[in-house]
Amino acid sequence: MRAEQMNSFRRSAGLIFAAALLPLLLFAVFQIGFSAREQRRSIEASALSDAALSLAAADTLVARVQGILDALTTARSVDEGDWPGFASRARGLTQNQSIWAGVALIDPATDRLLVDTRNLPSGTAPAGANDTVLRTGPGCPCIVLDRLALGPNGRRLTVRAYLSTEPFLAQLPAIDSNRPVSALVTSQGIFIARSLAQSERVGTPASIYVRNAASSGRWQGLYHGRTLEGVEIYTAFARSRLTGWSTHVALPARYIDAPSRTFFRSLGVAAVLSLALAGLLIAFALRQIAEARRFAERLQQAQKLEALGQLTGGIAHDFNNLLTPIVGALDWLRRSPDLPARGQ
């Protein structure tokens, strides 16, 4: 009995120790998982910050350009139809600024080129419209931005800015192991600048993943895809409220996938540990119930034996009470020899 009690005590102590240790393991596993998730969020936040900063720098360049365009569209030479004066004014405002590839004044009604500071002869206006990236032509590859102006007698004219793509390329994060590629695209998903293979990609459509993000309507976010070179990446993007352009900063897929896998693995391990803890507690409870049942059965058996003993003792006592007078009478008869014999 004592050995059984000792074994029961050891088993109970082992279950209690395991039940106390498993929550600590569970906490450690959750800590690992949530640390991995926070690491992933930190990486995502850093990439989103890079995208936003690059976009802000690009917006600053465009805002300066728009300021000059506003000055050109309200110039007196436009209202008076003084095209040489307009050309002189345009050159004066844009000289010594590397972003400017040229300025043109176009009559959209006749598609006639009235002025072009790129020293093109007057004639038919070259192809291109607002938010367009031209690959070829004087000063190109370049970006086209248009602004409406009113000429003589309220005649509608277009002031067109041709902007170099190089200053926009300089605003993108440099290529390294953390940022394998980044890009600035128009609202249609056309490359304005790309940190990888700029000369080949500028003016061409970006990947379907970039185009979908650029046209998604979201102002920023993260998406999964592949580069045009076929490398699997995650990309943080931010879209401009000024131009509709968007910057895209790529991350190696392992930077997002590895922490995500660690997080989900930790959840799996935590689930297994939780089930193990629940199993141990259930086993402990069942063992306690079984031991309580066995104790109750032993107690009941002891009570039965006690009751039986009491009953037996009572019967013996009563029987002894009955035998006492009989034995006494027999003893008296034995000691009285002068009593007549039975039957005489």
Side-chain angles (χ1 to χ4, degrees), residues 127-138:
N130 196 53
D131 199 28
T132 298
V133 183
L134 301 178
R135 284 186 58 83
T136 59

Side-chain angles (χ1 to χ4, degrees), residues 54 169-182 195 249:
S54 296
L169 176 62
Q171 309 309 317
L172 297 177
I175 297 175
D176 57 29
S177 59
N178 297 327
R179 302 289 186 265
V181 63
S182 54
S195 61
V249 178

